[in-house]
Amino acid sequence: MKEQLQQLESNALAAIENAKTVEELEKIRLQYFGKKGELTQILKGLGGLPQEERPVMGAYANEVREEVQIELDKKKTDIKEAAYDVRMEEEYLDVTLNPAKLRVGHRHPLLKTKEELEDIFVEMGFTVVDGPEIESVANNFDALNSPKNHPSRDKSDTFYIDDKTLLRTHTSPMQIRAMKQYGAPLRIVSSGRVFRFDDVDDTHSPMFHQFEGLVVDKGVSLANLIDTLNVFVKEMFGDDMHIRYRPHNFPFTEPSTEVDVTCLVCHGEGCPACHETGWSMELLGAGVVHPNVLRNCGIDPDVYSGFAFGMGIDRIAMVKYGIDNIRLMFENDDRFLSQF
């Protein structure tokens, strides 16, 4: 049996020496120390030896087992250290090299404009509210005093989901939601995406962004609206900006007005950018809240009055930054965005 153990030790140590991976070492361990391993089988045969030889052979077998186990552990450590050295060599990082130049991102002009608008009106005491893009016909048209035959209700102008729901055509439904939820007095602004079949020129898009404002209180008049918009325009574009109010007609306000501002390129002198008029494109629409709208929201128009205004964030950005095509803001062209 001693010769068997000597031969087993010699074979095991040679196999361990030639092993290249941890997996090979595990196979060697199982070959000799597993339930059916060679050393295990020899140990099972100790019971057949004469009684006086058993302790001697048992002690020698344990010595062989311990020696083989030591070499297994040592070889495993050597293999792992060698693999670590190779990995460190392959993943070597030269910290003296100049790092790759990182490109810094830019705020999108639409997001910048939206945040500027909100900041201006929050400082004026308005609260920012938000609402869904999928809206009811009742909130989008009916409660806003829109006639049944109004062109904007036509399917050629509006994206209907079914007879009672649609993609909102303006952010004005938030006025209805706010008045129904909070009642009066009220001072809110809201912004978000709106949708229309509108793609006629470089200043229109079937998806664009609006910013809406509403004030309802006792004694609110057109004069309050004009003063509020004057402050807004000066804050947004500068003190040298001139404002023009033109009469208009909106179903939800009476009286109504459209607001223009002087051209940022020529400052009112007249140039190709403003078609020699001295005025930029229409900036926003506004007016005194129609009594029917207040009634539809459960507010007594004999006690309360209000004003509302709505503007395209895209158009504000175009005026502020001199952008001549609204589509540029939706194309994610880095050459365009990097200018901001």
Side-chain angles (χ1 to χ4, degrees), residues 54-85:
R54 293 176 194 170
V56 177
M57 286 299 101
Y60 186 68
N62 286 332
E63 290 178 7
V64 170
R65 180 186 185 91
E66 184 176 349
E67 180 64 24
V68 173
Q69 186 64 56
I70 289 172
E71 291 301 316
L72 273 172
D73 294 340
K74 183 175 180 298
K75 185 68 173 182
K76 181 181 291 187
T77 300
D78 292 343
I79 289 175
K80 287 184 176 180
E81 289 180 350
Y84 179 79
D85 292 340

Side-chain angles (χ1 to χ4, degrees), residues 80-200:
K80 287 184 176 180
E81 289 180 350
Y84 179 79
D85 292 340
V86 170
R87 179 183 174 191
M88 289 299 99
E89 184 66 28
E90 292 176 348
E91 298 181 2
Y92 174 71
L93 176 64
D94 186 353
V95 295
T96 65
L97 291 176
N98 292 326
K101 186 176 181 181
L102 298 178
R103 298 182 64 188
V104 179
H106 302 269
R107 300 286 282 169
H108 196 286
L110 278 176
L111 183 58
K112 287 179 64 177
T113 303
K114 172 182 176 292
E115 291 175 347
E116 287 183 60
L117 290 169
E118 289 180 349
D119 289 343
I120 289 172
F121 283 99
V122 166
E123 289 182 2
M124 296 168 66
F126 286 77
T127 299
V128 179
V129 297
D130 193 19
E133 294 177 353
I134 297 178
E135 187 55 272
S136 66
V137 172
N139 285 341
N140 196 84
F141 289 129
D142 298 339
L144 285 164
N145 199 44
S146 178
K148 296 294 184 182
N149 60 351
H150 195 278
S152 63
R153 287 179 175 261
D154 196 270
K155 290 185 177 180
S156 62
D157 280 6
T158 297
F159 295 98
Y160 283 91
I161 296 174
D162 54 41
D163 291 340
K164 294 183 178 180
T165 54
L166 44 70
L167 294 180
R168 64 182 179 185
T169 62
H170 47 187
T171 48
S172 299
M174 272 312 301
Q175 296 182 25
I176 303 302
R177 288 176 174 270
M179 284 189 283
K180 287 182 177 180
Q181 182 174 354
Y182 303 112
L186 185 67
R187 187 181 298 185
I188 58 102
V189 290
S190 178
S191 61
R193 294 189 301 178
V194 297
F195 308 87
R196 300 177 189 174
F197 281 116
D198 197 356
D199 195 20
V200 295

Side-chain angles (χ1 to χ4, degrees), residues 3-19 24-33 37-39 42 61 63-73 75:
E3 291 76 11
Q4 281 184 286
L5 289 171
Q6 290 174 337
Q7 185 63 45
L8 181 148
E9 181 179 10
S10 176
N11 293 341
L13 294 179
I16 292 171
E17 179 66 24
N18 294 326
E24 290 181 21
L25 290 176
E26 179 62 17
K27 289 181 180 179
I28 293 171
R29 187 189 70 80
L30 292 175
Q31 178 182 349
Y32 292 100
F33 300 152
E38 295 180 20
L39 181 59
I42 291 175
E63 290 178 7
V64 170
R65 180 186 185 91
E66 184 176 349
E67 180 64 24
V68 173
Q69 186 64 56
I70 289 172
E71 291 301 316
L72 273 172
D73 294 340
K75 185 68 173 182

Side-chain angles (χ1 to χ4, degrees), residues 116-117 120-121 124 211 227-238 283-284 309 311 316:
E116 287 183 60
L117 290 169
I120 289 172
F121 283 99
M124 296 168 66
F211 186 86
D227 183 66
T228 300
L229 294 181
N230 286 347
V231 171
F232 153 66
V233 171
K234 300 293 183 182
E235 288 288 330
M236 192 72 184
F237 301 106
L283 193 68
L284 59 90
F309 55 87
M311 62 192 82
I316 298 289

